[in-house]
Amino acid sequence: KSFLNHTAFLSCSFPNFQKIDLQDLRVFWQKGAVEVVHEVYYGHEKHANLSPKYINRTKMDMDKWTLQLLNAGVVDEGHYTCIVQHRDEGSPKVIHTSECLLHIIANYSQPEIEWLHTGELKPNEYLNLSCSSSGGYPEPKQMSWIVSYENKTQRFIADMDVSQDAVTKLYRVTSKLDVSVPTNTPTNISCLLYLGEQLDSLFSVPLHI
């Protein structure tokens, strides 16, 4: 995993137990089946075969056998393969391959509740609320509402309106809630954005009624 616009580290996991000289190795990384990301050609970096979008964006740490992908973006997500060839008596032979899957993460803004209701709230009237969060990646799993008053807590799971920016590929998510609240009892309403198993959930600032 890598945060958006940070450096992603992709490991080739090549042990090189035989201590083969780098001058006898060709190492290249590719994304998918066709895009060449980085190439070290018998000890020297070679740029002729690189996909244009990776030129000047990669560094290879040959001690740790790790590729650094600079300024990682959403478009860089996907499968990468590291291939090591040994020049031994003529034609090079593949002696190692490894694969890794890159996921990009971008932090969502703190969910923010907006009051869509106008005028004074009357007894047993429905309250109209909206909760929004933006600038995140990947797509969130769920947005829910937590309504607490006296010793009672209710949770509502409402439909999410999800949109993705065509350029940045980042998401904006909005959820709306219509809920009847007791007007004579202090009530707290919070919005919770659930991002999945790997990421922390985000809470809004509670709305006090």
Side-chain angles (χ1 to χ4, degrees), residues 116-189:
L116 302 178
H117 192 88
T118 56
E120 188 179 346
L121 190 62
K122 296 173 184 174
N124 298 322
E125 192 174 13
Y126 273 82
L127 184 64
N128 306 121
L129 299 173
S130 169
C131 184
S132 299
S133 177
S134 61
Y137 192 90
E139 186 174 351
K141 302 294 184 185
Q142 189 182 85
M143 194 173 243
S144 60
W145 295 82
I146 299 168
V147 181
S148 303
Y149 54 92
E150 293 176 334
N151 293 325
K152 188 175 181 181
T153 298
Q154 293 176 291
R155 179 168 174 162
F156 301 92
I157 297 174
D159 290 337
M160 289 191 305
D161 178 22
V162 180
S163 59
Q164 188 177 26
D165 187 282
V167 177
T168 66
K169 305 300 181 185
L170 301 181
Y171 287 99
R172 175 182 175 82
V173 57
T174 302
S175 175
K176 292 182 179 178
L177 178 71
D178 296 330
V179 61
S180 176
V181 294
T183 52
N184 298 324
T185 304
T187 302
N188 287 331
I189 300 178

Side-chain angles (χ1 to χ4, degrees), residues 52-107:
K53 69 181 181 184
Y54 292 107
I55 293 175
N56 297 325
R57 288 187 57 218
T58 57
K59 294 179 185 176
M60 185 77 183
D61 184 336
M62 300 304 291
D63 294 324
K64 298 179 180 177
W65 290 90
T66 299
L67 182 72
Q68 299 176 32
L69 176 59
L70 310 178
N71 198 29
V74 173
V75 293
D76 295 317
E77 275 201 324
H79 279 93
Y80 290 80
T81 306
C82 172
I83 300 166
V84 182
Q85 294 179 331
H86 184 209
R87 176 170 55 185
D88 186 20
E89 298 177 3
S91 59
K93 293 185 296 185
V94 175
I95 59 173
H96 177 79
T97 61
S98 65
E99 294 186 15
C100 56
L101 179 60
L102 177 62
H103 293 285
I104 299 298
I105 301 166
N107 286 326

